[in-house]
């Protein structure tokens, strides 16, 4: 079946540095991918919608310059957390839709980011 | 835009007892509805989904959910809970918005299973 893969699954970085998380659709083309953030014991919060070949659409309250999203190909979207701070530590999950109506959604395994 | 509410933050049931997790949504048209389960430190696993057709949906692990348009609900049920069902459960609603198709998650319900 269709699989969405995230890398890395866990990453630790120092404050002030940037870290990139990749989201790949392994056997299908995903024109749209989504990035979610989940704090411990909380729900998933949609951060942005990543569209191949165009700028991402960010949800209200999400800093565009801090969370850079690039969807350069139909199988890859990247989330870069710039100038990371400890409060950016979180579980980041991507998803990709298959089909125009998005009625088939696949989630990546998630990436744990710890900023020290 | 759509929204979804899971009224129960946590629920405790005895092993072997029945389970119902509540989910209410708000959306202007027929939504796409999902239930996911998440074990601690893990990603999401899709239990079941509803797009159209039969309003009673069967999923994996013995779960089912019923779409009730009149109540804007999509409650998850299981007739007999197993200890391995202890996890966080998320209801999600998907729909087309001005920015395209989006899936929004409820706050989640933590299920505890006691022996």
């Amino acid at each position: 079946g269709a699989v969405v893969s995230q890398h890395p699954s866990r990453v630790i970085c120092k404050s002030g540095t940037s870290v990139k998380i990749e989201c790949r659709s392994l056997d299908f083309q995903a024109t749209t991918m989504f990035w979610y953030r989940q704090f411990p014991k909380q729900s998933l919060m949609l951060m942005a919608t990543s569209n191949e070949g165009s700028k991402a659409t960010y949800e209200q309250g999400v800093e565009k310059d801090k969370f850079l999203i690039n969807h350069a190909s139909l199988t890859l979207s990247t989330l870069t957390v710039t100038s990371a701070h400890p409060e950016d530590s979180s579980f980041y999950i991507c998803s990709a839709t298959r089909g125009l109506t998005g009625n088939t959604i696949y989630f990546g395994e998630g990436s744990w980011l710890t900023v020290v | 835009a759509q929204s979804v509410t899971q009224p129960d933050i946590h629920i405790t049931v005895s092993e072997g007892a029945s389970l119902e997790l509540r989910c209410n949504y708000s959306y202007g048209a027929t939504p796409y509805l999902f239930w996911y389960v998440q074990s601690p430190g893990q990603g999401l696993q899709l239990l079941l989904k509803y797009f159209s057709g039969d309003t009673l949906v069967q999923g994996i692990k013995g779960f089912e959910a019923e779409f009730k348009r009149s109540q804007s609900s999509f409650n998850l049920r299981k007739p007999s809970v197993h200890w391995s069902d202890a996890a966080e459960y998320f209801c999600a609603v998907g729909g087309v918005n001005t920015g395209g198709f989006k899936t929004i998650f409820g706050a989640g319900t933590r299920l505890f299973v006691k022996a």
Side-chain angles (χ1 to χ4, degrees):
Chain A
V3 176
V4 172
S5 177
Q6 272 184 250
H7 177 80
S9 57
R10 292 183 180 272
V11 58
I12 300 173
C13 70
K14 293 183 178 180
S15 289
T17 62
S18 296
V19 61
K20 180 185 290 186
I21 301 171
E22 295 184 346
C23 178
R24 293 182 183 274
S25 57
L26 297 186
D27 61 354
F28 68 100
Q29 294 182 333
T31 55
T32 304
M33 291 183 173
F34 303 87
W35 286 97
Y36 294 84
R37 181 176 184 179
Q38 184 181 31
F39 290 104
K41 300 183 180 182
Q42 296 189 26
S43 186
L44 285 77
M45 299 300 297
L46 180 63
M47 299 175 66
T49 302
S50 172
N51 300 296
E52 187 270 336
S54 64
K55 292 183 178 180
T57 303
Y58 290 81
E59 296 300 303
Q60 190 172 9
V62 178
E63 299 177 59
K64 302 178 182 180
D65 296 331
K66 180 164 189 62
F67 299 100
L68 301 180
I69 292 173
N70 186 309
H71 195 153
S73 76
L74 287 171
T75 59
L76 174 64
S77 176
T78 60
L79 169 68
T80 302
V81 183
T82 63
S83 186
H85 291 278
E87 56 265 31
D88 297 326
S89 299
S90 186
F91 191 50
Y92 293 88
I93 303 177
C94 74
S95 71
T97 59
R98 189 175 194 175
L100 295 177
T101 58
N103 59 5
T104 306
I105 303 172
Y106 302 94
F107 282 87
E109 309 94 329
S111 299
W112 281 104
L113 169 63
T114 303
V115 184
V116 297
Chain B
Q2 68 268 41
S3 66
V4 57
T5 302
Q6 292 179 249
D8 304 305
I9 297 173
H10 55 81
I11 283 181
T12 302
V13 299
S14 299
E15 191 170 16
S18 63
L19 169 71
E20 182 169 34
L21 302 182
R22 295 184 292 166
C23 174
N24 293 96
Y25 70 90
S26 175
Y27 185 62
T30 300
Y32 296 112
L33 296 164
F34 310 85
W35 274 100
Y36 290 90
V37 60
Q38 185 181 37
S39 297
Q42 302 297 314
L44 298 172
Q45 182 180 23
L46 178 66
L47 289 175
L48 47 79
K49 59 187 177 184
Y50 170 81
F51 297 145
S52 63
D54 193 346
T55 56
L56 184 62
V57 182
Q58 301 298 319
I60 62 172
K61 303 184 177 185
F63 286 93
E64 67 176 27
E66 186 171 12
F67 170 57
K68 293 185 177 181
R69 185 187 300 275
S70 61
Q71 299 178 20
S72 297
S73 69
F74 190 57
N75 295 345
L76 181 71
R77 300 193 293 252
K78 186 169 184 177
S80 178
V81 170
H82 188 262
W83 64 266
S84 60
D85 294 324
E88 187 87 20
Y89 290 80
F90 293 99
C91 179
V93 57
V96 177
N97 298 273
T98 54
F101 185 90
K102 293 182 181 179
T103 304
I104 303 299
F105 286 79
T109 299
R110 168 71 66 176
L111 173 64
F112 297 95
V113 180
K114 59 183 181 181

